[in-house]
Amino acid sequence: MWGTRKHYIADADREYGVAVLALVNGDLDEAERAARTALKLRERTTKEDTPRIAADARMLAEILAESDARAEANALYQRALTVYRRYELQYDAAVCLHGLARLHADTEPALSRERLQLAMWIKRSILGGIHPEVLELLNELSGNATACR
């Protein structure tokens, strides 16, 4: 069929945008629906995980984490992290590590702290020491240290 792959990609991009907007607006049901659709459409375009599929998986993981669907969110974060590491996309890997740390902050504080530290180290090396994203990680690490006591 002519243009099928191109249409799947365009539809996936549109659904990804819908998911982002719905998440920002607090509509978790719509965000989840759109993110799942984006991921399914993107998976139809290739046989292997790519950074774009990883971005869709990470978006769905973030939405599921907000909905407290931890097991599925964890699996999707891990999937995205594996792809980002394979392609040496360090910043994106740090974003996944940060998401995983938040996901397990109350159940596994020591593991959460390790992930926060690694994410901070990566972001600090890429963004510099006084970047807002680095400071956010430092703030979460200080809260995590208090929780581990």
Side-chain angles (χ1 to χ4, degrees), residues 58 61-62 65 73-82 96 99-100 103:
R58 188 180 78 210
E62 290 173 12
N74 183 68
L76 288 163
Y77 273 130
Q78 294 290 349
R79 177 182 179 186
L81 182 59
T82 299
C96 278
L100 283 164
L103 191 63

Side-chain angles (χ1 to χ4, degrees), residues 22-130:
L23 181 60
V24 168
N25 290 327
D27 187 352
L28 294 179
D29 290 336
E30 177 63 12
E32 181 179 345
R33 185 215 52 80
R36 283 188 190 284
T37 301
L39 181 58
K40 285 178 187 174
L41 289 168
R42 191 101 47 206
E43 288 171 335
R44 290 181 185 175
T45 66
T46 185
K47 293 181 182 185
E48 66 179 45
D49 280 348
T50 63
R52 188 61 239 172
I53 288 175
D56 290 338
R58 188 180 78 210
M59 170 58 67
L60 181 54
E62 290 173 12
I63 294 163
L64 292 171
E66 286 289 318
S67 301
D68 208 30
R70 292 179 182 219
E72 189 177 3
N74 183 68
L76 288 163
Y77 273 130
Q78 294 290 349
R79 177 182 179 186
L81 182 59
T82 299
V83 173
Y84 291 144
R85 285 180 170 162
R86 183 180 334 125
Y87 284 88
E88 298 181 4
L89 299 170
Q90 296 302 319
Y91 177 83
D92 294 308
V95 172
C96 278
L97 288 166
H98 192 183
L100 283 164
R102 285 180 172 169
L103 191 63
H104 298 291
D106 59 339
T107 58
E108 299 176 69
L111 179 61
S112 177
R113 181 173 179 73
E114 288 176 28
R115 288 173 173 164
L116 284 171
Q117 287 174 329
L118 183 54
M120 186 187 65
W121 181 84
I122 293 168
K123 284 188 174 185
R124 182 181 273 170
S125 68
I126 294 170
L127 302 171
I130 307 180

